[in-house]
Amino acid sequence: PCARCADSCPVGLYKKLWAQSQGEPDAFFQLLGTAVGIRTEVLEPGKSWQILYPACGCDLVTGGYVRTPAICECSRLGIAYCLGRVWPGHRFTVTKEKTILQGDACCCFLVALA
């Protein structure tokens, strides 16, 4: 139930970029980094990547309904959900490193193969 918002847009974007990258993770994350409002970095080729958001894109936050950093856990889970939809059979972790709602300049998540 938590991932309903992810199904509305991000899953489609991830699927499109996964197809364009022909299932190559580094190419996928490089393509993801060209999407509006998203930056990415390949940290260790084939093993770990960083996803950065220069602005909070959560509708609950931008709409003024939520201001607690606890909502950032939803973003972490949303990334994991979207990756799981396009990259089935692989085990990975998504770690929240920084968030705007905690006072950081951007939101940053680390994705790593487990």
Side-chain angles (χ1 to χ4, degrees):
C2 178
R4 289 184 193 265
C5 65
D7 278 330
S8 68
C9 178
V11 166
L13 172 66
Y14 277 47
K15 284 182 177 181
K16 174 183 155 194
L17 298 178
W18 189 258
Q20 287 178 4
S21 71
Q22 299 178 346
E24 203 289 307
D26 293 339
F28 165 78
F29 282 100
Q30 289 172 340
L31 287 168
L32 183 62
T34 66
V36 174
I38 303 173
R39 293 189 338 251
T40 60
E41 185 176 337
V42 175
L43 299 176
E44 190 175 348
K47 294 185 180 181
S48 65
W49 309 267
Q50 212 171 38
I51 301 175
L52 300 112
Y53 300 96
C56 182
C58 174
D59 290 341
L60 295 174
V61 173
T62 59
Y65 301 106
V66 176
R67 293 293 309 156
T68 175
I71 195 72
C72 302
E73 178 65 8
C74 182
S75 295
R76 185 188 74 76
L77 293 170
I79 292 168
Y81 174 79
C82 291
L83 287 171
R85 294 289 307 270
V86 300
W87 201 2
H90 286 82
R91 297 187 64 163
F92 52 86
T93 60
V94 179
T95 306
K96 178 178 54 175
E97 295 188 314
K98 299 186 232 178
T99 72
I100 292 168
L101 293 178
Q102 289 178 313
D104 296 302
C106 68
C107 295
C108 178
F109 297 89
L110 175 66
V111 177
L113 286 178

